[in-house]
């Protein structure tokens, strides 16, 4: 069995390195080959162009958005024209549900199997090989691919028909976004009213207001550290997907709409390179406060 991996970014690099645990031959490709030497030192092959990866039996993709996945898989210089019947493509990216269905349909027309398997977990979990992945596609295909998913994920869920993985990931992401937007709105208010930010954070993270978002971001915000997670400018695609589903299926999502407004305000303020904790900058500026721990000299 020969494996391929396209996209060696923040998450993909570690996922691909963990795939080496399978003992199978691995060929990797990235538009920016800065990490190629590390893969070559560990016995993987590196590709000069996307189509070189098409020789693999199973090809994994970890790419930033729907447009890039379409270009890599279906584009003029992409995989599709070099693929053969019986190959498998597993997309671990987070992309639109409708795009996932279209890619699956086009690959099926040339006899190529497709599974959406977006992952959840930050870079540290990608390094550890402890990601969560949610899979959509044929049951038999899932069973065939699962041993390789186990190289970088320790929670692997079969969600059902094609696209189900993306829908499940979207639900998780939207709840996460809502949680972070709530922190961004409420925490600056506590400082404005004279409360100690560290003590407020301790109460939230030991009380009923806690969430994964609060446990991860409150310590980072207190330190003024906003570069430890996925940049907001890239993560915004999840909110766009949520809005599309809301509009097309007439599903009211008022809380999501409010969170999206906070997100948009952060992007318009030029905070898109920050992780989601950076949304707090919107309300800090409005209230003219900073939710930070005291500096040592204070």
């Amino acid at each position: 069995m020969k494996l391929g991996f396209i996209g060696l970014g923040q998450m993909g690099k570690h996922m691909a390195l963990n795939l080496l645990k399978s003992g199978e031959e691995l060929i990797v490709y990235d538009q920016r080959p800065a990490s190629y030497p590390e893969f070559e030192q560990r016995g993987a092959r590196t590709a000069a162009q996307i189509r070189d990866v098409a020789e693999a039996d199973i090809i994994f993709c970890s790419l930033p958005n729907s447009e890039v996945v379409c270009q890599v898989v279906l584009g003029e210089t992409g995989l599709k024209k070099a693929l053969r019947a019986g190959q498998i493509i597993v997309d671990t990216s987070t992309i639109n549900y409708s795009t996932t269905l279209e890619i699956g349909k086009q690959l099926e027309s040339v006899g190529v199997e497709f599974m959406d398997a977006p992952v959840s977990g930050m870079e540290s979990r990608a390094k550890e090989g402890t990601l969560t992945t949610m899979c959509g596609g044929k049951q038999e295909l899932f069973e065939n691919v699962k041993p390789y998913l186990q190289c970088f994920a320790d929670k692997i869920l079969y969600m059902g028909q094609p696209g189900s993985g993306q829908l499940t990931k979207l639900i998780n992401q939207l709840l996460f976004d809502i949680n972070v937007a709530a922190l961004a709105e409420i925490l600056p208010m506590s400082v404005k009213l004279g409360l100690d930010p560290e003590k407020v954070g301790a109460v939230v993270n030991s009380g009923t207001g806690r969430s994964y978002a609060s446990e991860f971001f409150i310590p980072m915000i207190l330190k003024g550290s906003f570069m430890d997670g996925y940049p907001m400018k890239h993560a915004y695609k999840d909110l766009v997907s949520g809005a599309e589903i809301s509009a097309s299926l007439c599903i009211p999502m008022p809380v999501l709409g409010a969170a999206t407004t906070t997100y948009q305000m952060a992007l318009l303020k030029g905070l898109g390179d920050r992780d989601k904790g950076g949304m707090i900058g919107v309300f800090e500026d409005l209230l003219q406060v900073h939710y930070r721990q005291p500096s040592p000299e204070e």
Side-chain angles (χ1 to χ4, degrees):
M1 185 67 68
K2 187 179 295 185
L3 306 179
F5 203 102
I6 299 175
L8 307 177
Q10 186 179 44
M11 301 289 285
K13 173 186 172 181
H14 304 296
M15 293 163 65
L17 286 170
N18 277 316
L19 267 179
L20 289 168
K21 293 185 295 189
S22 69
E24 307 286 9
E25 182 180 350
L26 177 67
I27 179 170
V28 300
Y29 172 83
D30 193 272
Q31 192 174 12
R32 295 166 295 183
S35 58
Y36 276 12
E38 183 174 1
F39 281 91
E40 290 165 347
Q41 289 165 11
R42 295 182 59 173
R45 291 171 52 203
T46 54
Q49 56 186 355
I50 293 171
R51 288 189 184 179
D52 292 340
V53 185
E55 66 182 76
D57 301 295
I58 304 176
I59 302 169
F60 295 84
C61 297
S62 177
L63 299 164
N65 55 49
S66 299
E67 291 73 21
V68 176
V69 175
C70 282
Q71 182 181 357
V72 165
V73 178
L74 305 177
E76 282 298 312
T77 59
L79 292 170
K80 184 180 176 184
K81 293 183 178 179
L83 294 172
R84 62 188 183 276
Q87 285 179 283
I88 297 170
I89 292 183
V90 179
D91 184 25
T92 69
S93 319
T94 298
I95 65 172
N96 291 342
Y97 171 66
S98 57
T99 302
T100 293
L101 295 182
E102 180 60 27
I103 291 172
K105 186 183 301 182
Q106 291 208 33
L107 290 177
E108 186 179 20
S109 70
V110 293
V112 175
E113 301 259 36
F114 179 72
M115 188 172 78
D116 56 297
V119 297
S120 180
M122 297 189 178
E123 185 179 5
S124 59
R125 287 177 59 194
K127 288 181 182 179
E128 296 165 358
T130 58
L131 294 168
T132 295
T133 182
M134 301 132 277
C135 305
K138 297 175 183 175
Q139 177 83 50
E140 182 181 359
L141 174 61
F142 170 74
E143 298 299 338
N144 290 338
V145 171
K146 186 176 180 180
Y148 302 105
L149 297 175
Q150 289 171 330
C151 292
F152 54 76
D154 64 356
K155 194 172 189 65
I156 302 166
L157 302 170
Y158 176 65
M159 302 308 301
Q161 62 186 357
S164 297
Q166 291 295 348
L167 282 177
T168 306
K169 172 69 183 293
L170 180 61
I171 288 168
N172 180 71
Q173 292 303 106
L174 295 181
L175 288 169
F176 185 52
D177 291 335
I178 289 168
N179 272 271
V180 183
L183 293 171
E185 179 178 330
I186 301 301
L187 293 179
M189 178 189 72
S190 70
V191 180
K192 184 72 171 180
L193 297 178
L195 295 176
D196 181 294
E198 285 188 293
K199 291 179 180 177
V200 168
V203 170
V204 170
N205 278 338
S206 62
T208 55
R210 74 183 181 277
S211 63
Y212 177 81
S214 72
E215 291 173 345
F216 181 83
F217 282 120
I218 287 179
M220 298 295 104
I221 294 169
L222 284 167
K223 292 187 294 185
S225 176
F226 299 106
M227 308 302 286
D228 294 285
Y230 197 55
M232 280 190 282
K233 64 184 179 183
H234 298 317
Y236 181 63
K237 62 190 177 185
D238 296 327
L239 294 163
V240 173
S241 294
E244 288 176 351
I245 290 173
S246 176
S248 62
L249 300 179
C250 195
I251 299 175
M253 298 185 192
V255 177
L256 178 61
T260 300
T261 298
T262 295
Y263 213 122
Q264 291 167 335
M265 292 167 69
L267 295 178
L268 290 172
K269 283 180 66 66
L271 304 179
D273 287 326
R274 292 184 175 189
D275 58 36
K276 293 177 183 181
M279 270 190 271
I280 199 168
V282 171
F283 292 96
E284 287 182 331
D285 287 354
L286 282 173
L287 300 183
Q288 298 184 320
V289 298
H290 283 93
Y291 183 87
R292 303 288 184 278
Q293 61 192 19
S295 58
E297 59 271 14
E298 291 182 8

